[in-house]
């Protein structure tokens, strides 16, 4: 079992809301005691009105770096396809400095075809996008090592996804945090596969924090039951999703209370 402390994240989805509401919700989450506030990297809403209000990910992270003071911030997750890897590294380093070392660099291979079509990116296939991610991660790492000034810390890299052959191997090679979804039975299998990839690349799996989504789109989850099951599998970061326009944080409050009860 993991000895990592429990952390609670909020994926504050930048859809269907004015920015003032998004900023206020990020501040409320910080006041509630959340550990990390994530957004996501899309150009259109993922549910609700397809042409509804939506804001860009990394511009928002720069603003959050100034408007928050304690929480870590990041994208859950950045789409590798949308930015040159060297540019993304520089953006991450810049937000790292603005936030005084609170950035998590979340990244994945991308999947939302509407984003690609509307913004002129080549969609390719799931396999080609994963191959692109595999090529980009060493370039990001290399650029982070060249930038002046250097990042304030070794920026944690979070890789999202559960693909067992390619994604989890990339997690084993490059990630500090692995984010996934799924019920405990599915997660248990993927954790075992990740351990196998770690062994193959010579990595201690204990170096990788396991993160799991535990509720979105208004779906309530029971921290007492689900949290205990996931904790036994090594999960230490539990992330609740909330979408606009209202950003109901009731589920988030339950998970924060559960975290605090475990620590008391």
């Amino acid at each position: 079992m993991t000895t990592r402390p429990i952390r609670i994240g909020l994926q504050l989805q930048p859809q269907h809301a004015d920015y003032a509401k998004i900023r206020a919700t990020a501040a409320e989450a910080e006041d509630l005691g959340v550990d990390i506030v994530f957004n996501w990297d899309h150009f259109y809403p993922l549910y609700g009105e397809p042409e509804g209000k939506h804001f860009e990910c990394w511009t928002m992270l720069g603003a959050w770096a100034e408007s928050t003071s304690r929480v870590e911030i990041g994208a859950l997750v950045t789409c590798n396809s949308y930015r040159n890897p060297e540019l993304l590294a520089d953006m991450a380093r810049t937000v790292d400095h603005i936030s005084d070392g609170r950035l998590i660099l979340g990244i994945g291979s991308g999947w939302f075809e509407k984003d690609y079509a509307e913004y002129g990116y080549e969609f390719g296939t799931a396999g080609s996008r994963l191959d692109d991610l595999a090529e980009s991660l060493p370039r990001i790492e290399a650029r982070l090592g060249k930038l002046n000034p250097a990042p304030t810390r070794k920026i944690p890299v979070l890789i999202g996804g559960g693909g067992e052959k390619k994604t989890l191997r990339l997690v084993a090679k490059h990630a500090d945090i692995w984010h996934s979804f799924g019920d405990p039975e599915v997660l248990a299998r993927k954790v075992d596969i990740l351990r196998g990839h770690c062994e193959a690349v010579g990595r201690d799996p204990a170096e990788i924090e396991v993160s799991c989504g535990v509720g979105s789109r208004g779906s309530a989850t029971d921290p007492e039951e689900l949290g205990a099951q996931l904790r036994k599998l090594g999960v230490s970061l539990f992330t609740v999703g909330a979408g606009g326009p209202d950003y109901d944080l009731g589920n988030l409050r339950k998970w924060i209370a559960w975290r605090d009860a475990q620590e008391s």
Side-chain angles (χ1 to χ4, degrees):
M1 181 182 292
T2 181
T3 58
R4 291 178 182 268
I6 296 171
R7 302 203 292 166
I8 304 298
L10 170 67
Q11 186 190 53
L12 179 52
Q13 301 158 359
Q15 60 177 5
H16 306 305
D18 293 326
Y19 184 70
K21 180 63 174 178
I22 295 172
R23 181 179 59 233
T25 305
E28 180 182 1
E30 184 169 53
D31 289 344
L32 287 172
V34 76
D35 297 289
I36 307 168
V37 180
F38 295 106
N39 59 9
W40 67 25
D41 190 19
H42 296 290
F43 305 126
Y44 292 90
L46 295 190
Y47 53 90
E49 168 53 48
E51 302 296 323
K53 295 177 180 178
H54 202 282
F55 290 101
E56 193 276 327
C57 168
W58 276 88
T59 311
M60 183 177 296
L61 290 177
W64 285 1
E66 291 281 11
S67 66
T68 62
S69 60
R70 178 189 58 78
V71 291
E72 289 188 289
I73 58 174
L76 193 62
V77 289
T78 305
C79 176
N80 176 65
S81 306
Y82 300 161
R83 299 164 193 86
N84 168 279
E86 286 75 18
L87 172 62
L88 179 60
D90 204 339
M91 292 165 63
R93 182 279 309 255
T94 299
V95 176
D96 165 69
H97 275 265
I98 296 170
S99 66
D100 294 323
R102 294 184 289 119
L103 178 77
I104 293 171
L105 177 52
I107 193 165
S109 59
W111 63 272
F112 190 41
E113 189 170 5
K114 181 174 182 176
D115 283 349
Y116 287 79
E118 293 282 352
Y119 278 62
Y121 297 107
E122 179 66 35
F123 188 57
T125 66
S128 69
R129 294 192 299 275
L130 278 166
D131 291 342
D132 289 343
L133 178 60
E135 192 263 341
S136 294
L137 286 165
R139 290 171 59 183
I140 291 168
E141 292 165 356
R143 180 58 51 180
L144 286 170
K146 295 177 181 179
L147 291 168
N148 183 17
T152 67
R153 63 172 179 168
K154 196 282 183 187
I155 298 174
V157 172
L158 177 154
I159 294 178
E164 296 175 1
K165 293 182 179 180
K166 291 186 176 182
T167 302
L168 291 180
R169 187 169 181 86
L170 292 176
V171 170
K173 292 177 69 175
H174 298 281
D176 302 288
I177 306 169
W178 168 53
H179 180 79
S180 186
F181 298 92
D183 60 35
E185 183 178 346
V186 172
L187 188 67
R189 184 182 76 250
K190 294 186 184 295
V191 167
D192 284 341
I193 292 169
L194 176 58
R195 288 176 180 146
H197 284 303
C198 286
E199 183 177 357
V201 303
R203 182 98 184 270
D204 181 356
E207 296 176 3
I208 302 170
E209 182 173 17
V210 180
S211 167
C212 194
V214 290
S216 187
R217 301 181 67 168
S219 62
T221 50
D222 179 10
E224 293 296 334
E225 180 178 353
L226 181 60
Q229 293 179 58
L230 294 175
R231 189 70 171 147
K232 290 178 181 177
L233 296 174
V235 176
S236 59
L237 174 53
F238 301 81
T239 298
V240 176
D246 299 322
Y247 294 116
D248 181 355
L249 300 186
N251 200 24
L252 180 69
R253 288 184 173 89
K254 292 179 182 178
W255 281 92
I256 291 172
W258 172 78
R259 176 202 65 192
D260 295 347
Q262 309 310 302
E263 296 175 351
S264 62

